[in-house]
Amino acid sequence: EMDKPLVVTMDTSKLGFARATNMIEFLKGIGIDSELGVIFHRKYSDLTNNQIDTKDMLTDQFFGPDIHGRDILLIDNVVDSSHKFVDCAQLVKDLGAKDIYGYAIHGMFSNKSYKNIRNSHVKELIVTNTINEIPVYDEKIRYISIGKVLAKIIGDMSIESMINKNGDIETS
């Protein structure tokens, strides 16, 4: 169980912040106090003779409360190559994080990138089953089914489409 975790978004878009603040509200609803942090993850390529050098230089910066001794929940939209997740996990570990967990909506794991997660400081990564691929089975990766959520949405849409202007349900 996490004690006063720090929710850290690696996605600096409006949706990235929305995901992180929604997670904070969710945790608050189940009695867990948390705070927000952000990692600005930038990737710069060295240019030599107009060619992109294959050695990319990463510049990561963390902004937020003190990390030392705290559990971290890294949040992103998608884990594909997993390099961003692993780099950000390393950054928060270097800043003194205790345990590092991850959450992403989509787990693509291209080119067996789940191995990068396995060898990283991430204790557990939770993803949903939104990608139509064979799930990766690894001790650090856990899938959450969105089947019930989709069924509810479809059910609600079906019922709403049957309600007429008077508020009565039409069955024909």
Side-chain angles (χ1 to χ4, degrees), residues 1 3 6 15 41 46 48 90 102 127 153 169:
E1 183 172 309
D3 181 38
L6 184 59
L15 285 174
H41 181 80
D46 293 330
T48 309
Q90 183 65 53
V127 295
I153 291 169
I169 295 178

Side-chain angles (χ1 to χ4, degrees), residues 33-49:
D33 288 328
S34 59
E35 295 178 281
L36 177 65
V38 62
I39 293 176
F40 288 94
H41 181 80
R42 308 260 189 235
K43 185 175 178 180
Y44 299 95
S45 296
D46 293 330
L47 296 176
T48 309
N49 298 328

Side-chain angles (χ1 to χ4, degrees), residues 67-72 89 92-100:
I67 288 179
H68 188 66
R70 294 183 72 175
D71 290 329
I72 304 297
V92 296
K93 191 65 172 179
D94 291 346
L95 292 172
K98 188 170 88 173
D99 288 326
I100 303 165

Side-chain angles (χ1 to χ4, degrees), residues 158 161-164 168-172:
S158 297
S161 66
M162 294 174 15
I163 298 174
N164 65 23
D168 298 322
I169 295 178
E170 295 178 358
T171 57
S172 54

